[in-house]
Amino acid sequence: MLELIHSGGVHQVVTLNGAMLARASGDPGLRETVNSASLATADGAGVLLAGRILGVRFPERVPGVDLVAHLFARGADRPLRVFLLGARPGVAAAAGAALAKQHRSIAVVGADHGYFAAGAEAAVADRIRRASPDVLLVAMGFPKQEEWIAAHRDSLGVPVAIGVGGTFDVLAGLSRRAPRWMQRAGLEWVYRLVQEPHRWRTAATIPLVVWLAVKERIAGRAGAAR
Ligand code: UDP
């Protein structure tokens, strides 16, 4: 991601989970967004499983919250300018303050909530443009955040934009992550399911993701997977 930031272009980073993969299979627009991402990480047990079926062993699951923590911990030759967009009013600013406290290598250059009306979109985009961040974190849930980034990335000119789901809520202390052992065992989704039962829809996509991978394998397209 540091290379992407310094490469001069504009890049979208996607943390791909099973629900997103399942939806992308039937939504050409979202599929195009995922396929055109400069970097996509495997963010879920379903995606790791699909990789195995296709003969691709991903080293580990990489959720947005970890990706951001590692990027900022790594540091750059100058402080990274970060803009946070998303979550309920006040949460992005609190998440930004938490990040700035944890990492001296960043400068938070702006924060905005993710419940703006369609009419306010241009003003939001303008604030981001004027803040000229290196990294734009968008936490509006999928597929809204991925679609928003895809629609605006070229006009924003931000080097790296990432959809980070519920990361701001975690950083601001509003929601908690699963214990480490559950994360390591690939069971974070079980923890989230117990905390937020409406997430059964996400967990329910695993059989579909497995089926898509099996179909892909039968079609002999495994070699196309990276
Ligand atoms: N959110 C938002 N705008 C919306 C809908 C959601 O900013 O119109 C925020 C919400 O407050 C939460 C995040 O997006 O902070 C969604 O987190 P979730 O964990 O549901 O993300 P997912 O795992 O669905 O990508």
Side-chain angles (χ1 to χ4, degrees):
M1 282 178 50
L2 285 173
E3 274 171 28
L4 293 180
I5 291 168
H6 296 298
S7 72
V10 292
H11 302 275
Q12 180 160 4
V13 176
V14 170
T15 63
L16 187 69
N17 64 24
M20 214 189 279
L21 196 93
R23 192 176 174 123
S25 75
D27 178 339
L30 185 60
R31 189 159 64 233
E32 168 59 21
T33 297
V34 171
N35 285 341
S36 66
S38 299
L39 174 68
T41 70
D43 176 15
V47 178
L48 295 186
L49 195 59
R52 281 194 175 207
I53 293 168
L54 288 165
V56 183
R57 233 176 211 281
F58 296 112
E60 63 178 334
R61 179 178 163 234
V62 183
V65 66
D66 288 344
L67 192 63
V68 167
H70 282 277
L71 172 70
F72 296 156
R74 187 76 180 267
D77 44 3
R78 59 173 173 78
L80 287 177
R81 298 169 64 82
V82 183
F83 195 107
L84 297 90
L85 173 68
R88 290 187 298 280
V91 178
L99 277 176
K101 212 165 148 188
Q102 287 165 19
H103 308 286
R104 299 198 178 283
S105 58
I106 66 164
V108 175
V109 295
D112 239 326
H113 69 83
Y115 291 87
F116 47 88
E121 201 143 296
V124 170
D126 207 44
R127 272 199 291 280
I128 297 171
R129 218 172 285 120
R130 275 187 282 124
S132 77
D134 298 302
V135 180
L136 171 63
L137 306 177
V138 184
M140 301 197 293
F142 108 91
K144 197 171 177 184
Q145 59 197 17
E146 277 71 29
E147 288 169 353
W148 199 88
I149 293 171
H152 294 90
R153 66 183 175 206
D154 291 336
S155 74
L156 290 176
V158 178
V160 167
I162 321 169
V164 291
T167 297
F168 296 176
D169 295 326
V170 173
L171 286 169
L174 296 180
S175 64
R176 291 169 63 135
R177 291 192 70 188
R180 273 248 173 260
W181 70 266
M182 283 188 98
Q183 291 179 33
R184 275 198 295 267
L187 294 174
E188 188 159 23
W189 63 274
V190 177
Y191 184 86
R192 295 192 82 183
L193 197 58
V194 172
Q195 279 202 323
E196 302 162 72
H198 68 271
R199 290 199 176 272
W200 67 269
R201 281 177 197 278
T202 307
T205 57
I206 290 189
L208 175 57
V209 168
V210 168
W211 166 237
L212 289 169
V214 168
K215 246 184 14 184
E216 199 68 10
R217 187 177 172 140
I218 292 168
R221 285 195 286 260
R226 277 178 293 155

